[in-house]
Amino acid sequence: MKKYIELSQEVQQAKDEGKPIVALESTIISHGMPYPENVKMASEVEQIVRDNGAVPATIAIMDGKIKVGLTADELELFGSSSDVAKVSRRDLPQIVAEKKLGATTVATTMICADLAGIPIFVTGGIGGVHRGAETTMDISADLEELAKTDVAVICAGAKSILDLGLTLEYLETKGVPVIGYGTEYLPAFFTRKSEFPLNSYTDSVDVIAETIKTKWDLNLKGGAVIANPIPEQYAMDEDYINGVIDQAVKEAEEYDITGKDSTPFLLSKIKEATKGKSLEANIALVKHNAKVGTQIAVSYNQKTAKVLN
Ligand code: PSU
Ligand code: MN
């Protein structure tokens, strides 16, 4: 196992010193945003993590290794290369074995973070049950991962490219807590709320950290979703963005886009149709998640710190 994992110096040192670490995914960089905005976003998010008292660990696959913590040059490579595979749980062994460049999805980032002993992970949005899944069966591997891997994911909910109601139902079935941070409704990524109420919400990062810790203390396997709404000033008009998303979903059907291509296709269509406005919102919400997620990581770290003497 160990031979496949390579921690950056910064991450290794943080581990040795018992400092809080925040995992970050790389599919959002390679397949979720265009170059060069993606690289700029990634390095700014890393800095926000540092400024709030933790160490960032962006995760990606390279040279037959799971890299936990990337250098600036590696971030640039993953952001600018057109030759990066989108790696979900299914794809991980092949991309590692073939020593290809791979960007990790939420599911795979959870797997790798868990292997590296990092329980807190920040991203933009999770995958979920796609609209029409009752016939296509397109359900992101992210949900199954949340069911079984002990990593908490801080996100801005999920985009309404998905069926948000079914996504919540799936998470409930699998016993995955979805905790609203400062909201009683599931945030819909570009907008602060959806029509779906959450049964768990709080305004306190300490309560979130305590809840996650309690879950794992009780031996309840699996992750948690911490849903943090986009800051008000970046939120998009609900009718407008939903119209754009409906159109993108229709085009995906027309072009018969399926499988792992579906989410990246929809994201790039939305960006095109909003003339970059959606990208701006996307970047703002990831940065906000980085701040809140780091506060959770710091709190969690204090609660679980080994007493050193
Ligand atoms: N949603 C976004 N931006 C993203 C993704 C989802 O708003 O970049 C990425 C994440 O990496 C997520 C993946 O894990 O897409 C889900 O892909 P799929 O639906 O193929 O499981
Ligand atoms: Mn899918």
Side-chain angles (χ1 to χ4, degrees), residues 49-164:
V49 172
R50 290 190 191 97
D51 292 346
N52 284 276
V55 165
T58 305
I59 294 177
I61 317 298
M62 193 180 179
D63 300 329
K65 304 251 187 232
I66 294 165
K67 294 254 196 180
V68 181
L70 300 183
T71 64
D73 284 349
E74 287 164 347
L75 272 186
E76 178 74 21
L77 174 69
F78 279 99
S80 59
S81 168
S82 57
D83 202 25
V84 180
K86 175 181 163 187
V87 181
S88 201
R89 170 178 271 269
R90 173 194 64 182
D91 317 295
L92 182 59
Q94 183 203 344
I95 299 299
V96 172
E98 294 185 4
K99 300 190 165 46
K100 289 186 173 158
L101 284 180
T104 54
T105 62
V106 168
T108 314
T109 306
M110 289 178 73
I111 295 169
C112 300
D114 192 39
L115 288 174
I118 304 172
I120 309 290
F121 161 30
V122 163
T123 188
I126 56 168
V129 180
H130 278 258
R131 294 196 204 169
E134 56 275 25
T135 49
T136 63
M137 291 187 70
D138 188 351
I139 300 173
S140 175
D142 293 353
L143 298 186
E144 202 54 42
E145 209 58 55
L146 281 160
K148 64 183 165 207
T149 300
D150 299 358
V151 172
V153 183
I154 291 83
C155 64
K159 289 196 175 82
S160 52
I161 58 174
L162 303 173
D163 187 319
L164 298 183

Side-chain angles (χ1 to χ4, degrees), residues 12-300:
Q12 184 62 59
Q13 192 177 343
K15 280 208 83 79
D16 294 343
E17 292 172 1
K19 284 196 183 142
I21 304 173
V22 172
L24 300 162
E25 65 154 308
S26 44
T27 293
I28 189 176
I29 304 172
S30 64
H31 293 73
M33 290 182 191
Y35 181 79
E37 288 91 340
N38 56 358
V39 175
K40 185 162 179 275
M41 176 281 301
S43 65
E44 287 175 359
V45 163
E46 289 199 346
Q47 195 52 46
I48 291 168
V49 172
R50 290 190 191 97
D51 292 346
N52 284 276
V55 165
T58 305
I59 294 177
I61 317 298
M62 193 180 179
D63 300 329
K65 304 251 187 232
I66 294 165
K67 294 254 196 180
V68 181
L70 300 183
T71 64
D73 284 349
E74 287 164 347
L75 272 186
E76 178 74 21
L77 174 69
F78 279 99
S80 59
S81 168
S82 57
D83 202 25
V84 180
K86 175 181 163 187
V87 181
S88 201
R89 170 178 271 269
R90 173 194 64 182
D91 317 295
L92 182 59
Q94 183 203 344
I95 299 299
V96 172
E98 294 185 4
K99 300 190 165 46
K100 289 186 173 158
L101 284 180
T104 54
T105 62
V106 168
T108 314
T109 306
M110 289 178 73
I111 295 169
C112 300
D114 192 39
L115 288 174
I118 304 172
I120 309 290
F121 161 30
V122 163
T123 188
I126 56 168
V129 180
H130 278 258
R131 294 196 204 169
E134 56 275 25
T135 49
T136 63
M137 291 187 70
D138 188 351
I139 300 173
S140 175
D142 293 353
L143 298 186
E144 202 54 42
E145 209 58 55
L146 281 160
K148 64 183 165 207
T149 300
D150 299 358
V151 172
V153 183
I154 291 83
C155 64
K159 289 196 175 82
S160 52
I161 58 174
L162 303 173
D163 187 319
L164 298 183
L166 292 187
T167 300
L168 280 180
E169 290 292 349
Y170 194 105
L171 290 169
E172 181 182 353
T173 300
K174 295 291 180 173
V176 179
V178 181
I179 307 170
Y181 178 64
T183 179
E184 297 182 17
Y185 289 86
L186 179 70
F189 200 88
F190 295 121
T191 53
R192 288 180 56 82
K193 53 195 233 183
S194 67
E195 63 186 288
F196 300 100
L198 297 173
N199 75 317
S200 166
Y201 45 85
T202 175
D203 292 330
S204 158
V205 292
D206 283 330
V207 168
I208 293 171
E210 189 67 30
T211 304
I212 301 165
K213 177 178 179 291
T214 305
K215 181 180 193 223
W216 293 327
D217 283 350
L218 289 170
N219 246 328
L220 295 166
K221 296 293 292 173
V225 175
I226 317 305
N228 178 37
I230 184 171
E232 188 81 59
Q233 67 267 37
Y234 295 101
M236 298 185 79
D237 180 77
E238 191 177 335
D239 291 336
Y240 168 68
I241 193 67
N242 284 338
V244 167
I245 289 172
D246 287 346
Q247 182 58 32
V249 170
K250 219 184 270 171
E251 281 184 53
E253 276 167 25
E254 275 164 27
Y255 292 115
D256 209 15
I257 310 286
T258 58
K260 68 193 277 194
D261 299 330
S262 174
T263 297
F265 176 88
L266 293 168
L267 298 183
S268 86
K269 282 286 160 197
I270 293 165
K271 190 207 142 227
E272 242 171 64
T274 61
K275 301 193 175 61
K277 277 269 167 233
S278 67
L279 179 60
E280 227 173 89
N282 200 340
I283 291 169
L285 67 83
V286 178
K287 288 184 179 176
H288 188 229
N289 291 345
K291 183 173 171 203
V292 170
T294 305
Q295 291 168 353
I296 294 169
V298 169
S299 172
Y300 181 84

